[in-house]
């Protein structure tokens, strides 16, 4: 059986939509990092998205675990023209589109950005590649809110709206078993 330990990167403290912008993580909470490291299986493989907030978080918790190369397909949702804007500003520009993106996620995408269905396809393919390349291994995947929610949705056969209802805190871990059937063991656990 393989398990996914989906870890959300350390906080950026940004108050805007942060998708593919490469903001650094605040990793000053060394006690939280130590608890997270102790919670994760010692023999798991560690991988992260290629954005620095995920890379540095993965490096901080990797310990003696094998570190795999970064994977850009594990990135956050690409927010396109909404990138680094605050929700009230986005809502003021196009309230119908902003609400549709969050309330009925599917094929609706920000201008120049990525829909929920697109991010699910991207992240699902990356996770499938990892599982195929490392059968039977537990994987620690340090990623982002949206990327983690794609796997929560997959494990629970949830709609995008149902997935977005879940909270995913920084430095939390969501554990998903993949065999014999996909299922979430624990969502948004803060060790």
């Amino acid at each position: 059986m393989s398990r996914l330990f989906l870890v959300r990167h350390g906080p950026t403290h940004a108050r805007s939509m942060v998708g593919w912008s490469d903001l650094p993580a605040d990793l000053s909470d060394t006690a939280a990092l130590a608890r997270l490291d102790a919670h994760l299986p010692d023999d798991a493989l560690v991988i992260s998205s290629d954005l620095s907030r995920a890379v540095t978080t993965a490096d901080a918790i990797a310990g003696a675990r094998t570190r795999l190369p970064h994977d850009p397909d594990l990135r956050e949702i690409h927010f396109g023209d909404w990138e680094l804007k605050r929700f009230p500003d986005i809502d003021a520009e196009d309230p119908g589109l902003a609400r549709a993106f969050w309330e009925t996620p599917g094929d609706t995408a920000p201008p120049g950005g990525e829909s929920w269905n697109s991010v699910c396809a991207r992240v699902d393919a990356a996770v499938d590649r990892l599982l195929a390349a490392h059968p039977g291994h537990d994987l620690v995947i340090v990623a982002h809110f949206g990327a983690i929610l794609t796997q929560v949705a997959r494990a629970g056969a949830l709609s995008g709206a149902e997935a977005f209802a879940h909270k995913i805190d920084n430095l939390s871990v969501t554990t998903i078993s993949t065999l014999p059937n996909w299922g979430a063991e624990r969502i948004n656990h803060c060790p």
Side-chain angles (χ1 to χ4, degrees):
M1 175 172 83
S2 295
R3 290 177 299 166
L4 305 176
F5 294 84
L6 303 165
V7 174
R8 186 172 179 201
H9 60 77
T12 65
H13 305 298
R15 299 284 182 235
S16 59
M17 304 279 268
V18 180
W20 287 18
S21 293
D22 202 10
L23 301 184
D26 175 357
L27 300 177
S28 62
D29 191 345
T30 55
L33 290 167
R35 288 190 307 273
L36 185 56
D37 175 32
H39 173 75
L40 298 169
D42 292 333
D43 60 347
L45 306 175
V46 178
I47 189 167
S48 69
S49 97
D50 65 338
L51 296 173
S52 64
R53 60 191 181 270
V55 171
T56 57
T57 302
D59 290 345
I61 63 171
R65 297 174 188 93
T66 300
R67 185 79 162 82
L68 301 174
H70 322 314
D71 188 337
D73 286 337
L74 297 171
R75 283 183 174 194
E76 180 58 283
I77 300 165
H78 183 14
F79 291 118
D81 293 351
W82 294 353
E83 187 71 17
L84 299 179
K85 291 184 179 177
R86 295 172 50 96
F87 182 79
D89 298 326
I90 295 165
D91 190 47
E93 289 175 14
D94 190 341
L97 183 61
R99 290 191 198 302
F101 180 80
W102 293 109
E103 294 174 6
T104 56
D107 290 326
T108 302
E114 184 175 43
S115 72
W116 170 253
N117 290 343
S118 295
V119 73
C120 287
R122 174 173 52 83
V123 177
D124 287 356
V127 170
D128 288 347
R129 281 193 311 272
L130 285 166
L131 290 169
H134 307 284
H137 287 277
D138 288 338
L139 297 168
V140 173
I141 300 174
V142 181
H144 311 269
F145 170 79
I148 293 169
L149 286 181
T150 67
Q151 300 311 292
V152 170
R154 187 179 190 186
L158 304 177
S159 69
E162 291 168 322
F164 278 141
H166 287 278
K167 184 176 182 182
I168 304 293
D169 290 314
N170 292 106
L171 301 179
S172 69
V173 60
T174 294
T175 307
I176 294 176
S177 60
T178 61
L179 294 174
N181 298 310
W182 281 70
E185 294 178 7
R186 197 174 220 179
I187 298 171
N188 196 41
H189 174 63
C190 295

